[in-house]
Amino acid sequence: MQQPSSPLARLGTRVGRAGIVLRAAPVDVVTDALGDLPDVEAGLVRQAGPARRAQFAVGRRLARAALAASGSDVVALGADHLGAPRWPAGRVGSISHLPDLAVAVVARAADHRGVGVDVAPAAPLPPEEAAVLLGDDEQRAVVAVAGGVGPTVAFAVKEATYKAVHPTLRTPVGYRDVTVSLGADHGFTATVRVPGGVPPTRVTGWWEVAGPHVAAVAVLG
């Protein structure tokens, strides 16, 4: 399995200090779509096209490798009713993939209630999309820290945050329900507000612009 690019490796080092295992690898449709998968996993993409199967296969292989590195060997990862990976007891995790890259993170449930990862192309968002994702003040703040790609970083952070909190909150969360503050040290904080009088949930994490990709890892403590 190929090593991630050096910026993503730096992200792996940062999250590793918090007890999170990160694994990343490129996706190659020609070779990865033909790779063998355990029956449980293969059944989840039996009707999928080559591109989707390749992304799925690499993501699941990385997740199993991250689980093994955390001390939990599994033969296959099934899926819940929403299609999210079904993690073994005692572990939390997350997978994200693009046509050319897949990333997985795993942590012990005794250390973190949830973790989330997201990757996106390192390109500026169209203004109309940024306006949907971010309030005006929030958009100005992320651009001040991360430049023109700041809204894309915030998008990845919000996606990773949703993945980290969903197993606990179990309630729909919109982009505007999550407020992001990026740090120049490549850390972030995110505040999740949901209706119904539930107190806001605070999530922390890390972000990187890794060559042609943006990546974010969120942690629910």
Side-chain angles (χ1 to χ4, degrees):
M1 184 177 296
Q2 298 185 42
Q3 294 298 311
S5 62
S6 56
L8 205 54
R10 288 199 298 270
L11 180 60
T13 299
R14 289 190 176 99
V15 304
R17 296 190 188 110
I20 301 166
V21 179
L22 181 149
R23 292 291 183 266
V27 175
D28 185 304
V29 174
V30 174
T31 58
D32 293 320
L34 300 175
D36 290 334
L37 286 169
D39 289 345
V40 170
E41 296 177 359
L44 298 173
V45 287
R46 200 174 306 280
Q47 305 300 321
R52 166 61 181 156
R53 179 180 170 85
Q55 294 173 42
F56 177 92
V58 177
R60 281 306 202 275
R61 287 203 301 268
L62 291 170
R64 285 187 260 112
L67 283 165
S70 77
S72 178
D73 289 315
V74 297
V75 175
L77 280 175
D80 64 17
H81 67 290
L82 296 175
R86 192 184 302 278
W87 301 97
R91 296 294 184 273
V92 292
S94 178
I95 302 171
S96 183
H97 40 65
L98 293 169
D100 63 340
L101 178 73
V103 185
V105 292
V106 166
R108 296 175 182 272
D111 297 331
H112 302 295
R113 288 184 290 162
V115 294
V117 64
D118 194 67
V119 289
L125 288 180
E128 60 273 17
E129 292 185 20
V132 171
L133 296 171
L134 304 161
D136 292 343
D137 291 343
E138 189 180 20
Q139 186 169 172
R140 283 191 289 269
V142 299
V143 169
V145 174
V149 78
T152 307
V153 173
F155 167 74
V157 166
K158 292 190 179 196
E159 287 284 336
T161 295
Y162 174 77
K163 294 176 184 179
V165 302
H166 179 69
T168 299
L169 294 182
R170 291 291 179 182
T171 189
V173 175
Y175 289 114
R176 288 295 190 97
D177 297 325
V178 181
T179 304
V180 170
S181 176
L182 301 182
D185 61 351
H186 290 260
F188 73 79
T189 59
T191 302
V192 184
R193 294 178 174 83
V194 296
V198 178
T201 299
R202 184 174 182 272
V203 175
T204 59
W206 306 264
W207 63 275
E208 284 284 357
V209 179
H213 306 109
V214 164
V217 175
V219 180
L220 180 63

